[in-house]
Amino acid sequence: MHRRVDIKRNDTVKVITGRDKGKQGRVLRVFPDKAKVLVEHVMMVKKSVRPNPQRNIKGGIAEQESPVSISNVMIVCPTCGPSRIGHEVRSEKRVRICRRCKAPLDK
Ligand SMILES: [Zn+2]
């Protein structure tokens, strides 16, 4: 079954379950095939970086986001906070709206 992914890049989402529960951040990338999103400052993992003097990269440990499942996040409505995404047709265009306050989520 193909599930539509309603979360888009630059949306603000809140993590509702898992290690980073309660954290909020901007969506950096969406992986529709995996139903996952990469959220700024969420699910940080340490990665070791090899030094590369030619590119002026010091070796060591760097932190990087790793993808979280879309079912573990909720969209954050600018007006009323964490909410669900609804849809509505406005001026013949299908838009994403906040299900709670009906405000459009796209500008
Ligand atoms: Zn709302």
Side-chain angles (χ1 to χ4, degrees):
M1 191 185 97
H2 180 74
R3 263 202 301 162
R4 282 203 45 219
V5 172
D6 283 325
I7 290 181
K8 293 180 181 173
R9 201 162 69 91
N10 288 330
D11 280 348
T12 300
V13 294
K14 186 174 184 157
V15 182
I16 50 168
T17 184
R19 197 190 77 184
D20 280 349
K21 184 177 170 177
K23 275 197 189 174
Q24 212 169 287
R26 196 164 54 91
V27 175
L28 303 173
R29 270 186 82 179
V30 181
F31 307 93
D33 300 347
K34 296 179 192 155
K36 286 187 167 186
V37 285
L38 199 65
V39 186
E40 197 173 34
H41 304 310
V42 166
M43 278 303 274
M44 299 302 285
V45 288
K46 286 190 168 69
K47 273 203 153 182
S48 54
V49 178
R50 282 196 184 175
N52 186 339
Q54 280 162 11
R55 286 165 59 198
N56 201 22
I57 295 171
K58 274 201 264 176
I61 306 284
E63 279 202 290
Q64 207 179 46
E65 287 91 358
S66 61
V68 292
S69 177
I70 281 173
S71 56
N72 291 355
V73 300
M74 270 181 110
I75 190 99
V76 176
C77 165
T79 316
C80 65
S83 182
R84 284 174 187 282
I85 300 173
H87 293 97
E88 214 175 84
V89 178
R90 289 189 185 176
S91 24
E92 297 188 0
K93 271 179 88 182
R94 199 170 123 98
V95 293
R96 299 184 308 159
I97 58 163
C98 167
R99 262 203 232 171
R100 212 184 300 170
C101 70
K102 311 292 178 204
L105 295 169
D106 299 295
K107 276 158 208 113

